[in-house]
Amino acid sequence: MKRVILFGAPGAGKGTQADIIEEKYSYIKISTGDLIRAEVGAKTQLGLQMKSIMEKGELVPDEIIIEILKNRLMEKDIEEANGYITDGYPRTRHQAEELSRMPVHSEVAIYLDIVDENVVVRRLLSRLTCTDPECGAIFNLEENPPKQAGKCDDCNSPLKQRADDNEETIRNRISVYKEQTRPVIDYYREKGCLHEIDASASIEDIFEQITRIVV
Ligand code: ADP
């Protein structure tokens, strides 16, 4: 079992790259953002609590997200897979430490770095996501537009802008990221499995770099 950890700024392209890795290498993508949105969509009590946190651009508390991740990792498809990619997890050092407690044969941590904050804001403001939670494909009006306006290329469902992709929430997500997620870089550097990629490059260029690391 291999583990690929994709982390970095919001809008760095983690979800887009994780989707490509999943398709090309048969790794299972685990997006904590998607897991939270599924819970929000199911309107459970936990979902409602997480909805307001997400809409403000804050982080869901560690103990909740760690529990959600552990439950996902216990599912049968993971046991049978070659490996898995985490997208958007870990976002704090504590989350990283907890992930390390789950044994794998090999592990790489890929940090997608964006220096220019305005690139992030522009990308997220032009992002569209498939409304079918089973699909969840990601498009971008500037970099990766859908073939037919407003429709998903993969499943034809309508596309929508995410509730947290508005400028105020995006700016807050960036500052939360700087304070809480950047320390995760040092954690993986110390562990000796960190790879850094400049995420302002194109989707294809970034994927090529990831391929060299993952294979
Ligand atoms: P992005 O990477 O574009 O910011 P995600 O879909 O990964 O989007 O996450 C959306 C939101 O879900 C985050 O802003 C946060 O509120 C919550 N979230 C996702 N993953 C985590 C995590 N590992 N820890 C805490 N909160 C999380």
Side-chain angles (χ1 to χ4, degrees):
M1 172 70 68
K2 292 184 180 174
R3 174 158 63 217
V4 179
I5 298 157
L6 276 186
F7 74 109
K14 304 179 291 285
T16 301
Q17 297 296 335
D19 282 342
I20 310 178
I21 301 170
E22 179 173 61
E23 199 189 319
K24 298 233 160 128
Y25 298 109
S26 310
Y27 280 29
I28 294 181
K29 164 180 151 177
I30 303 177
S31 155
T32 42
D34 287 350
L35 293 174
I36 297 170
R37 280 184 287 275
E39 195 74 31
V40 171
K43 297 197 169 63
T44 60
Q45 203 179 343
L46 181 62
L48 292 176
Q49 196 189 332
M50 294 194 294
K51 184 172 189 271
S52 63
I53 296 174
M54 213 170 178
E55 283 175 358
K56 282 186 251 157
E58 304 290 334
L59 292 187
V60 168
D62 277 352
E63 58 279 13
I64 296 179
I65 201 74
I66 289 165
E67 177 79 18
I68 290 176
L69 178 87
K70 285 189 177 165
N71 287 340
R72 177 67 188 93
L73 286 177
M74 275 175 345
E75 285 175 32
K76 203 162 170 38
D77 59 337
I78 302 282
E79 208 179 289
E80 291 162 356
N82 271 341
Y84 60 88
I85 323 151
T86 66
D87 157 20
Y89 184 103
R91 272 175 150 91
T92 63
R93 192 175 172 107
H94 180 50
Q95 289 182 17
E97 287 162 358
E98 286 296 314
L99 184 60
S100 293
R101 290 153 60 102
M102 315 215 208
V104 281
H105 296 117
S106 74
E107 172 177 68
V108 287
I110 302 177
Y111 171 55
L112 294 177
D113 186 24
I114 285 207
V115 182
D116 184 350
E117 192 167 310
N118 292 319
V119 172
V120 170
V121 176
R122 208 174 55 237
R123 273 189 186 177
L124 293 181
L125 285 176
S126 53
R127 171 160 78 178
L128 290 173
T129 316
C130 178
T131 45
D132 178 355
E134 291 285 300
C135 172
I138 306 162
F139 299 88
N140 187 288
L141 289 173
E142 289 178 19
E143 295 170 63
N144 175 31
K147 293 197 181 82
Q148 208 189 329
K151 287 268 172 70
C152 177
D153 289 0
D154 299 340
C155 73
N156 222 28
S157 301
L159 302 177
K160 72 161 190 334
Q161 191 167 35
R162 262 171 46 181
D164 56 347
D165 281 346
N166 62 76
E167 184 147 1
E168 194 188 342
T169 306
I170 293 169
R171 297 268 177 211
N172 194 37
R173 278 153 67 198
I174 295 170
S175 66
V176 167
Y177 155 74
K178 284 181 184 160
E179 275 165 36
Q180 303 192 51
T181 307
R182 279 213 174 133
V184 174
I185 304 172
D186 288 335
Y187 177 80
Y188 287 115
R189 190 173 285 132
E190 286 155 23
K191 232 184 151 191
C193 63
L194 179 75
H195 299 264
E196 297 180 62
I197 293 181
D198 172 5
S200 51
S202 70
I203 294 173
E204 294 74 26
D205 284 353
I206 298 171
F207 181 64
E208 209 183 296
Q209 294 186 58
I210 292 181
T211 302
R212 277 186 237 129
I213 298 164
V214 170
V215 172

